[in-house]
Amino acid sequence: MKHSIIQYTVKEGRATENESLIKDVFAQLQESKPDGIEYVVYKTGDSSFMHMISFDSDDANAAFTEMPAFKAFRAALKERIETPPARTEVSQVGNYQPK
């Protein structure tokens, strides 16, 4: 499984818009329930975001990036961000998820 962390800061006054677009991505994920994707987004402070995403295949990656909600999120990202997204490839050491 490929794991990445993407971090960036949005411009002042754009955090609510960015958050709304992210919530649209999650709504579409809940509706379509694609396999092979793990995705979580955190907001730090008022305007910084951290996306943690994992794909178990290129097909899962393509399914995510081709979603209309994700395309809408990406469409005006350059206009919303203050600092460019920094992507870091990571490897998982552990994962606790109580059921």
Side-chain angles (χ1 to χ4, degrees):
M1 188 168 258
K2 182 179 177 181
H3 307 279
S4 300
I5 297 173
I6 300 101
Q7 297 176 295
Y8 59 91
T9 301
V10 295
K11 294 176 182 174
E12 188 173 330
R14 305 294 296 264
T16 301
E17 173 189 3
N18 197 65
E19 195 170 334
S20 177
L21 289 163
I22 292 167
K23 287 178 180 180
D24 291 346
V25 172
F26 279 102
Q28 188 168 6
L29 285 168
Q30 287 297 325
E31 183 179 306
S32 62
K33 300 192 184 321
D35 291 326
I37 300 170
E38 294 178 16
Y39 186 49
V40 62
V41 178
Y42 296 99
K43 181 178 168 188
T44 60
D46 291 335
S47 60
S48 294
F49 291 83
M50 178 189 303
H51 299 241
M52 298 166 45
I53 190 154
S54 302
F55 301 111
D56 71 0
S57 68
D58 290 340
D59 289 341
N61 186 350
F64 182 81
T65 58
E66 292 301 315
M67 290 186 339
F70 182 72
K71 286 182 176 184
F73 167 77
R74 291 287 312 253
L77 182 62
K78 288 182 182 180
E79 296 170 11
R80 288 191 313 274
I81 59 174
E82 184 72 33
T83 60
R87 175 184 289 267
T88 305
E89 302 299 324
V90 296
S91 58
Q92 189 174 76
V93 175
N95 184 354
Y96 174 74
Q97 295 180 359
K99 303 288 178 191

